[in-house]
Amino acid sequence: MTVPEEWKHGLESNTPPAPYPTDGSEYQGAVRHYYGDALKRFLKFFPVFLLMWVQLYVFQLDYLLPVGIIGMIGVVWVSLLLFDRLRSIRKCSRVLRTYPLEFRTPVEKIGMESTHTLYLRFGDQKGTPFTLRAKDAVGRGRWPVGITDGVWFAGDEPFGGAMIVPGGGELLLLQPRDWRAREEDRNTAGPERIDRAKRAGIKGPFRL
């Protein structure tokens, strides 16, 4: 579901300044912080759901069965969320190790979906001027504050990439909005770019 047009520019995160450099000098701080953030989000709920599940076997009381079922579902749910977040962070890290960070400005907001997916375009038109899908590596679903002023991008637009937003330090994974429509761009990119995209793990389509 697409967020209404009148909302797409106003839904911005209130993320405080990042506790790591966001000036393009390095990316390791962002990756470490996001790994820690993903773990904190997991530990915030996992012990609660685990206790709800385990108490069913400890007390063996029939009326606690609904609580135990909720706990079991919760354990599976938060574990899947953790796996998905770690996968996204790992993908970003691989891209950032392979490509240098380049400052791209301005960034045009195209739209947002309720699935926490952002659609944007680099206004400098470097490379190919098409829309990219972007998703925060831990699933934050709002526009980073100041994103239109520019971001630090690593990658190759026809294949995708990762970016760090100055200030808040948000780490986002990107790929073309319409993967099939960019097939010719990728096929004619040349062996060096294709090989680099393969090493970065973005040669083929991937799930955001």
Side-chain angles (χ1 to χ4, degrees):
M1 182 178 72
T2 303
V3 171
E5 180 72 19
E6 63 271 20
W7 289 6
K8 75 177 185 181
H9 296 302
L11 290 173
E12 291 191 337
S13 65
N14 56 354
T15 310
Y20 48 85
T22 61
D23 58 358
S25 58
E26 55 106 334
Y27 66 85
Q28 293 89 345
V31 171
R32 285 194 300 268
H33 181 81
Y34 262 69
Y35 274 128
D37 191 12
L39 185 59
K40 287 178 183 177
R41 289 167 181 257
F42 173 73
L43 293 177
K44 184 177 180 180
F45 297 102
F46 181 79
V48 178
F49 286 126
L50 184 62
L51 286 174
M52 292 170 64
W53 186 11
V54 170
Q55 56 80 33
L56 182 64
Y57 301 97
V58 174
F59 299 108
Q60 297 184 355
L61 299 174
D62 291 342
Y63 67 84
L64 291 177
L65 180 60
V67 178
I69 293 175
I70 293 173
M72 180 182 64
I73 294 173
V75 165
V76 174
W77 176 61
V78 297
S79 298
L80 289 175
L81 279 179
L82 176 65
F83 176 80
D84 188 61
R85 288 164 178 166
L86 293 180
R87 178 195 59 81
S88 295
I89 298 168
R90 194 179 302 116
K91 175 77 75 173
C92 287
S93 179
R94 186 174 175 181
V95 171
L96 291 164
R97 288 197 308 269
T98 309
Y99 293 93
L101 285 167
E102 299 179 347
F103 191 68
R104 305 292 296 275
T105 185
V107 175
E108 180 185 358
K109 295 179 181 179
I110 304 299
M112 176 192 294
E113 285 187 354
S114 58
T115 55
H116 295 175
T117 302
L118 309 176
Y119 295 102
L120 55 88
R121 184 179 296 134
F122 293 134
D124 60 4
Q125 302 297 301
K126 182 179 179 180
T128 48
F130 55 83
T131 303
L132 296 166
R133 300 171 63 226
K135 206 164 189 177
D136 187 275
V138 294
R140 296 189 186 96
R142 292 173 178 258
W143 288 103
V145 172
I147 190 173
T148 55
D149 296 328
V151 298
W152 290 99
F153 172 74
D156 193 338
E157 288 102 318
F159 299 94
M163 69 183 188
I164 299 173
V165 182
E170 290 88 347
L171 178 64
L172 294 96
L173 187 62
L174 303 94
Q175 70 174 184
R177 181 174 189 170
D178 189 340
W179 182 267
R180 291 184 177 179
R182 310 325 311 180
E183 192 69 34
E184 184 178 354
D185 295 287
R186 290 188 293 274
N187 291 337
T188 58
E192 185 176 344
R193 287 173 62 190
I194 293 174
D195 179 67
R196 199 173 197 182
K198 184 177 181 179
R199 285 187 282 114
I202 57 175
K203 182 176 181 291
F206 50 90
R207 186 169 61 87
L208 288 185

